[in-house]
């Protein structure tokens, strides 16, 4: 038989609570100080007035509440601010508001000059009930009120006494909740530090940082690069894997299967007799050198992120010590990585279907723990989508429970559902398709999806114009102006973005072969030596853009992103604003890397807090021009390289 | 600490399962024989092939399965048919398909002419695993195959043997599911009989069925009306409350607070010394008469629906026997119904916040049980939105568990969230806003919402052009042509519709006063005497429309409803089709009740299963015209009263 409710008098229904990810299975994400705006459909049978509130807490014993206000059509809203790191819970509670029901009816009765004697008696009882749960002076005032009301009886001033504003305010302070309903789920918000939302990454191979060409760079060499990186306004310096590199099946230059003895190998072929995921490549230095590097970076305002790639070279210690973590083929050999017909004999994937999966999980998590102990709080995770989702969900939750300040960037360039799942289950940031979104339509569609759908609650995009794996065709063809356009877009479309630094800065754009996105003579397989001071470097341009990002809070979040119409397909226009509209930035980029483009932009003024016929000065933070704009339609002319974009600060 | 999964090797993720109402809290609705199309995002880490299936059951011990097929982008789909009344459960299961993973890789390797010796050994093991769970001849064939494969070894025919189609088919019959994931929720479908979806209601007051004016009609009188009602093609005859009517504060004609001793009172003021909700008004007859009426209706192909209105006249036996079910006012009187400043002293609402709520619930449910025992299987529930939602959810579930054939129509003309909640929690059908949706835009918007959103999974609209409470302005002004238009729309937009019969048939359209939707001399407060054979009756028109509905399965469901463009705001065009497109109906209605209207309709041919340049004959089931239509754009001319609409049957 159907179950009878324990309490059948909970008349208020709470539905469609938002934000809610997969029925509350996953938390939304926020950073410290951000708002969580909660909405719900709340209603009851009949015509009684209802009241509802958000409940939220970190510690269940310290529930906080904030009243919800009606938006019409049974929708209610309120918000709270997430002030502490870690996990918050929130839910909604609603009840019949007997006092308000009585008050509203009394107003109507008084207006219709009806006899309200019985109603005043009713009100006396209701106020007494409120008084009973009030304290001190409030309780005294309420009791007094109840007495005045009872004594008023049929006198005409009775209704007036009952409807005094002061009474209402006092009563609202002490909600009497008979048969309150609570939403069935405790929803979650994961609150990170600000770098989860707003960060600027620079990827560098420390082994390429030696001052002398031909020498293997060290952490000490890389330290000397830190002022340069910091001067461009980056805040995260991200290192590819820093572990010993396998010797068996080591890849040579340009991913050649035949390496020379002098070839350094790929940092992603992790592990050798010298150690595995908890060891440092001896040529980079010692653990002490690494910790010194982390500390030196900190002094420059830079955090160090390292790359965690859970895969093993054939000579990784795990292979010998834990053969049970690898899959055996029928011929007794260990299964190497494949994407048939391609074979990657230099890499053994871990077998997550191993009977010893639990020990494997624990060991992999301990890799993060180890580096956290060395002072690393940001991890870029290599190909997380080739390891089971349950592992990530468990490992990230475990780590963040002890270290809520730790952040994880998912390097998953794969299908939407997979990337979204990784974000939902805990990754703080994710790589995106931005890398291949070049046209106005592509950019508009993709970013509209990111900021206008539920994705904005949990998927934090990290925009990369290039990576050591990806030299996009647009950069190959478009040369320096293309690098400028892509940096502009990355830095202003995304609150978080990063570049594969030296190669980007110096506009390296030669592919391994036509049609390939691999770099020629890729740094993945050889040590590079670069002159950072060479002419044509984008250093100053990058520095200026990053400075603008730092000075304008509008650019430090994604939810406010709005696209505006232009009449030229090569001109893209979008805006970002701070929550309170005190900072308003309008960006117009010329996507054509060759020709100047002119056109009219058509601003959605309301989203910028501007009136239809308003004249407003705009200051171009990039080109330094000052313009007087009027209304929604304004003219722009942009030229590749010299003025590829306006980053307009709207003044009022 | 975070919980470790018991089994960490369940690598397949199942998300976004549809249909799913409020995270599975409520069932979707179907009628016997209808399909349930289930979709889900199903994917795993890495590049392995996956497989998935729907699981569905009524009895958990008799699980059925049907494989899902990929739609692309990690979306999978399958369907099952609900063949039995009552509650179905369904969910999704997915797993890594090791054989398919191996087969796809082998195909690629063979195409690249790679050495596949080890792969063939692997295949041998995989097939042996399948064979182990196969039976009889299949098991023998599979074992044979494994042996052939093992013996092929490095011979070139090895791969060919492994990739034989026959093998694949055989293997697919016996899915080997290592570490299968199951979707976390068991979703529900409530399967009703067909009348839940497709029904045609006629509302009649039996007390107005006497042959002589001035006499109180009886069930026996009403029986004589049944052939007339049946001849118009109705299948449900619905009676307002048939219980004794209260005498205290009885309302007179036109809702007058002062009744004459001869006034019969409102049937909704239920209960007197003669009995309450389980009694029959003595003037209508005896219980035996009622049962005879039900049986006589059945012989005409009509089901009887009765009205259940949970409210009491002051002289209802409950008031005396169960004072605890009513709210007392501070002056000791019982709280009557109110919508301040309006007072309804002839009605006492039940107090669902009574301490004795559970006894009240049981008693109210027993009212349904009582009438079910008398042969009533359809209930129209009066104002369900003024009684608590938990009561309805419990009561309907209890009743349908024993009597899955029982149907409930919610008379809730109220806010969307409330109406939707009532449908979700169990009401089989619901009144709608159709009653006030008159223009092309209003109709298109409202019905698009009903059939294109999640509502179509659980909200079954019942369309009423009029009710005893509502004489819409459109009918008041538009006269007979307006009645025709509204009937046409109700009968073709909705698979279920109903009319407040005699008043509609005879085009009664005089309001109580200008601006009021109440009928003048409303049948709610007095006995009417009508001449059903009077000129101007819509009897033949209604009969024709209902006949078309019976003959065309396209009109017996709602999900296929599509609107098509016309170039005239007074011409509305929409289509309905059967699932297999064997029955295609296109309706064009002239919404102007005064003037002829002409225009071009622009059909979305694809939704009708027609090609762009096809010529197709259409037969007007209403006007009997035959037309040869070509392509999407076709001309129509419609005239109020003589040809207010085309109901076109598309022939192929």
């Amino acid at each position: 038989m159907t179950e009878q409710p324990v309490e059948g008098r909970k008349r208020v229904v709470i539905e469609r609570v938002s934000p809610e990810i997969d029925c509350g299975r996953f938390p939304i994400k926020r950073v410290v100080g951000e708002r969580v705006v909660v909405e719900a459909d709340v209603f009851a049978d009949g015509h009684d007035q209802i009241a509802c509130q958000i409940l939220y807490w970190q510690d269940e014993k310290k529930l906080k509440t904030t009243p919800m206000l009606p938006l019409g059509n049974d929708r209610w809203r309120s918000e709270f601010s997430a002030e502490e790191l870690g996990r918050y819970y929130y839910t909604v509670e609603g009840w019949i508001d007997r006092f308000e029901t009585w008050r509203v009816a009394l107003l109507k009765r008084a207006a219709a000059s009806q006899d309200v004697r019985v109603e005043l008696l009713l009100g006396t009882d209701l106020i007494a009930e409120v008084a009973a749960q009030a304290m001190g002076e409030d309780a005294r005032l309420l009791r007094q009120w109840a007495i005045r009301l009872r004594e008023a009886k049929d006198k005409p001033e009775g209704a007036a006494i009952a409807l005094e504003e002061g009474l209402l305010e006092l009563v609202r302070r002490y909600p009497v909740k008979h048969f309150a309903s609570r939403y069935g789920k405790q929803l979650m918000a994961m609150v990170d530090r600000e770098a989860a939302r707003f960060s600027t990454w620079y990827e560098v191979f420390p082994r390429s940082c030696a001052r002398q060409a031909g020498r293997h760079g060290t952490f000490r060499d890389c330290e000397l690069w830190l002022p340069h990186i910091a001067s461009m306004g980056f805040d995260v310096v991200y290192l590819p894997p820093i572990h010993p590199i396998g010797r068996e099946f080591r890849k040579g230059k340009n991913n050649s299967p035949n390496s020379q003895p002098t070839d350094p190998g790929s940092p992603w072929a992790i592990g050798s007799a010298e150690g595995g995921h908890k060891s440092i490549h001896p040529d980079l230095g010692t653990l002490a050198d690494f910790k010194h590097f982390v500390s030196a970076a900190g002094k420059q305002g830079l955090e160090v992120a390292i790359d965690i790639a859970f895969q093993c070279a054939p000579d990784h210690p795990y292979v010998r010590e834990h053969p049970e973590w690898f899959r055996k083929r029928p011929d007794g050999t260990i299964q190497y990585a494949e994407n048939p017909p391609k074979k990657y004999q230099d890499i053994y994937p871990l077998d997550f279907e191993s009977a010893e999966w639990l020990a494997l999980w624990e060991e992999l998590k301990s890799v993060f723990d180890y580096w956290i102990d060395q002072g690393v709080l940001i991890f870029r995770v290599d190909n997380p989508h080739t390891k089971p989702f349950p592992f990530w969900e468990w490992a990230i939750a475990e780590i963040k429970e002890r270290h809520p300040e730790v952040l994880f960037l998912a390097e998953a360039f794969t299908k939407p559902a997979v990337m979204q799942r990784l974000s939902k289950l805990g990754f703080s940031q994710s790589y995106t398709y931005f890398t291949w979104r070049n046209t106005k339509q592509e950019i508009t569609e993709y970013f509209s999806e990111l900021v206008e759908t539920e994705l904005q609650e949990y998927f934090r995009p990290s925009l990369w114009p290039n990576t050591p794996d990806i030299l996009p065709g647009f950069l190959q063809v478009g040369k320096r102006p293309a690098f400028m356009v892509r940096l502009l877009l990355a830095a202003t479309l995304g609150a978080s973005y990063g570049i594969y630094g030296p190669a980007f800065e110096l506009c390296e754009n030669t592919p391994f072969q036509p049609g390939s996105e691999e770099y020629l003579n890729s740094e993945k397989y050889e040590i590079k030596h670069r002159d950072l001071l060479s002419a044509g470097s984008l250093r100053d341009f990058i520095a200026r853009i990053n400075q603008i990002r730092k000075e304008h809070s509008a650019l430090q979040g994604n939810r406010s992103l709005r696209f505006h119409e232009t009449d030229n397909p090569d001109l893209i226009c979008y805006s970002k604003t701070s929550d309170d509209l005190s900072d308003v930035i309008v960006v117009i980029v010329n996507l054509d890397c060759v020709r100047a483009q002119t056109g009219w932009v058509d601003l959605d003024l309301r989203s910028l807090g501007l009136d239809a016929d308003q004249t407003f000065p705009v200051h171009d933070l990039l080109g330094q021009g000052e313009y007087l704009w009027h209304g929604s339609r304004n003219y722009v002319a942009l030229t590749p390289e010299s003025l590829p974009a306006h980053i307009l600060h709207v003044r009022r």
Side-chain angles (χ1 to χ4, degrees), chain A:
Chain A
M1 295 301 278
T2 321
E3 245 175 286
Q4 225 143 27
V6 178
E7 176 51 80
R9 291 170 289 183
K10 295 183 174 181
R11 292 169 48 205
V12 171
V13 169
I14 300 164
E15 286 189 338
R16 290 213 301 135
V17 177
S18 72
E20 175 181 304
I21 309 302
D22 289 12
C23 301
R25 164 85 172 75
F26 298 107
I28 60 166
K29 297 202 182 95
R30 290 295 185 273
V31 300
V32 170
E34 264 186 336
R35 299 180 305 160
V36 178
V37 177
V38 179
E39 288 190 10
D41 283 1
V42 189
F43 53 89
D45 61 277
H47 308 289
D48 289 345
Q49 303 295 316
I50 62 159
C52 51
Q53 62 185 9
I54 313 179
L55 306 176
Y56 64 101
W57 66 95
Q58 283 200 301
D59 173 352
E60 219 167 344
K61 285 170 214 132
K62 295 178 191 159
L63 280 190
K64 291 180 187 169
T65 64
T66 165
M68 300 180 85
L69 297 176
L71 301 173
N73 220 5
D74 292 324
R75 194 88 183 141
W76 296 70
R77 182 197 285 162
S78 189
E79 63 180 65
F80 67 93
S81 187
E83 298 298 350
E84 304 288 338
L85 279 184
R87 200 168 278 247
Y88 274 74
Y89 297 87
Y90 58 97
T91 194
V92 172
E93 187 182 48
W95 61 92
I96 303 287
D97 187 337
R98 290 185 179 176
F99 179 84
E100 187 65 14
T101 302
W102 167 81
R103 196 184 70 90
V104 168
L106 186 65
L107 273 168
K108 291 179 184 165
R109 289 185 170 107
S113 306
Q114 290 180 351
D115 177 351
V116 295
R117 273 176 298 181
V118 179
E119 278 67 30
L120 292 184
L121 284 176
L122 258 172
T124 304
D125 292 350
L126 289 170
I127 295 165
E129 192 177 42
V130 177
Q133 63 180 57
M135 281 158 299
E137 178 64 6
D138 286 353
R140 201 186 57 78
L141 278 171
L142 282 162
R143 278 194 303 270
Q144 208 170 50
W145 226 308
I147 293 165
R148 278 175 64 210
L149 206 57
R150 195 175 58 226
E151 287 173 354
K153 280 185 197 159
D154 53 340
K155 291 180 199 135
E157 67 264 32
I161 292 170
L163 296 169
E164 279 174 33
E165 269 302 311
L167 172 61
L168 181 60
E169 259 173 56
L170 213 48
V171 166
R172 285 206 178 132
R173 251 177 256 168
Y174 302 97
V176 177
K177 302 186 284 178
H178 290 283
F179 314 123
S181 305
R182 206 172 282 186
Y183 186 56
K185 286 171 241 165
Q186 297 186 352
L187 304 174
M188 297 174 286
M190 175 50 72
V191 180
D192 293 314
R193 59 197 173 99
E194 205 196 355
R197 181 185 63 182
F198 173 53
S199 60
T200 316
W201 292 44
Y202 187 94
E203 178 172 5
V204 60
F205 287 69
R207 71 184 185 187
S208 294
C209 290
R211 270 195 276 191
Q212 308 90 329
R215 184 164 72 71
H216 192 290
T218 65
F219 290 126
R220 291 287 173 161
D221 292 320
C222 198
E223 275 185 27
L224 300 176
W225 280 43
L226 294 173
H228 168 76
I229 298 168
S231 75
M232 286 187 286
F234 291 96
D235 46 43
V236 177
V237 54
Y238 147 49
L239 312 180
I242 55 175
H243 318 301
I245 294 172
R247 293 176 191 281
E248 286 183 38
F249 291 98
R250 177 177 283 189
K251 293 292 176 75
K253 287 191 181 186
N254 285 308
N255 200 22
S256 155
N258 307 309
S259 64
Q260 304 302 315
T262 53
D263 282 331
S266 159
W268 284 273
I270 294 167
S272 73
E274 288 145 335
H277 284 77
K278 294 175 191 167
S279 301
I280 284 177
H281 195 301
D283 290 350
L284 288 173
T286 63
L287 180 60
D289 291 336
F290 176 72
K291 290 169 83 162
H292 193 273
F293 176 77
V294 171
S295 155
K299 285 176 192 151
Q300 296 283 340
L302 287 163
E303 262 198 86
V304 174
I306 65 169
D307 195 336
I308 298 294
F310 284 136
Q311 54 196 19
C312 299
D315 37 339
H316 192 296
Y318 286 163
V319 178
R320 186 169 29 84
E321 294 162 12
H322 293 284
E324 70 279 11
W325 291 344
F326 300 87
R327 191 173 294 173
K328 282 235 171 46
R329 308 200 323 150
D331 63 352
T333 60
I334 291 176
Q335 178 67 59
Y336 45 80
E338 291 185 284
N339 191 4
K342 288 191 204 159
K343 303 178 179 198
Y344 307 98
Q345 286 100 335
D346 60 331
I347 299 288
Y348 288 172
L350 292 155
D351 179 15
F352 285 87
E353 290 190 357
S354 160
E356 299 305 317
W357 62 272
L358 189 49
L360 173 61
W361 281 25
E362 295 281 3
E363 172 61 20
L364 298 183
K365 183 177 85 68
S366 79
V367 171
F368 290 106
D369 290 334
Y370 177 82
W371 293 107
I372 291 168
D373 289 344
Q374 313 316 321
V376 178
L377 297 180
I378 307 184
F379 298 95
R380 180 269 200 192
V381 176
D382 188 79
N383 280 335
H385 56 295
T386 60
K387 288 93 197 169
F389 301 97
F391 164 68
W392 292 121
E393 185 169 14
W394 169 81
I396 293 173
E398 286 275 311
I399 292 162
K400 288 189 76 97
E401 190 157 308
R402 282 199 304 128
H403 302 286
E405 68 280 17
V406 171
L407 303 178
F408 298 87
L409 167 62
E411 187 252 2
F413 288 115
T414 179
K415 300 173 292 179
V418 173
M419 291 169 68
Q420 290 163 21
R421 181 80 180 190
L422 289 166
S423 285
K424 281 191 273 195
L425 58 75
F427 279 91
S428 326
Q429 294 190 350
S430 173
Y431 281 39
T432 69
Y433 304 149
F434 165 74
T435 311
W436 302 274
R437 297 292 179 271
N438 297 307
T439 68
K440 180 169 158 180
Q441 190 188 338
E442 286 167 355
I443 293 168
T444 307
E445 276 175 13
Y446 184 55
F447 283 89
S448 296
E449 189 193 339
L450 292 184
V451 303
E452 289 170 14
T453 69
E454 191 185 71
L455 283 171
Q456 53 106 353
E457 298 290 354
Y458 65 84
F459 185 91
R460 293 202 193 97
S462 176
L463 279 51
W464 290 72
N466 74 332
T467 78
D469 295 317
I470 311 166
L471 171 62
F474 190 82
L475 296 181
Q476 296 176 28
V477 173
K479 313 227 170 75
R480 192 173 192 276
F483 281 78
M484 294 172 76
V485 164
R486 296 299 293 173
L487 188 95
L488 269 164
L489 291 169
T492 53
L493 283 168
S496 287
Y497 87 98
I499 54 174
Y500 161 36
F504 193 91
E505 215 178 315
L506 301 176
C507 304
E508 293 178 5
N509 72 340
T510 313
F512 172 60
Q513 59 187 35
S516 165
E517 286 190 335
E518 286 285 342
Y519 280 90
L520 179 66
N521 302 327
S522 167
E523 194 164 4
K524 290 190 289 184
Y525 311 106
E526 61 188 90
I527 292 169
K528 309 295 276 189
H529 187 75
R530 297 185 178 91
D531 176 8
L532 291 182
L533 303 177
S534 71
S537 159
L538 287 174
R539 173 182 175 153
D540 294 341
F541 181 74
I542 295 169
R544 178 66 197 132
I545 302 274
N546 285 340
Q547 189 190 354
I548 294 169
R549 282 165 53 83
K550 282 203 180 141
E551 289 170 359
H552 288 275
S553 63
L555 295 172
Q556 296 167 11
N558 290 320
R559 290 199 189 92
S560 69
L561 179 66
R562 291 288 171 278
F563 290 92
H564 304 264
E565 299 289 327
T566 77
D567 62 359
N568 181 334
D570 281 315
L571 293 178
I572 188 167
C573 175
Y574 47 89
S575 63
K576 283 191 169 181
T577 60
S578 59
D579 273 357
D580 60 1
L581 295 181
S582 63
D583 191 30
V584 176
I585 298 289
V586 175
V587 181
I588 306 115
V589 182
N590 175 7
L591 300 172
D592 183 339
C593 305
V594 178
R595 291 161 302 179
Q597 294 287 346
T598 62
W600 291 84
V601 304
D602 191 358
L603 298 174
D604 170 13
L605 293 172
R606 221 170 50 168
S607 70
L608 309 177
L610 295 168
D611 296 331
D613 274 322
Q614 198 171 338
T615 297
F616 50 96
V618 295
H619 170 58
D620 185 358
L621 301 168
L622 189 61
Q624 299 303 338
E626 296 274 354
Y627 310 94
L628 205 58
W629 278 25
H630 179 80
S632 64
R633 280 174 63 81
N634 292 280
Y635 183 79
V636 294
L638 296 169
T639 315
E641 209 145 4
S642 65
L643 188 66
H646 289 312
I647 303 180
L648 301 175
H649 180 220
V650 175
R651 305 202 169 161
R652 259 174 291 204

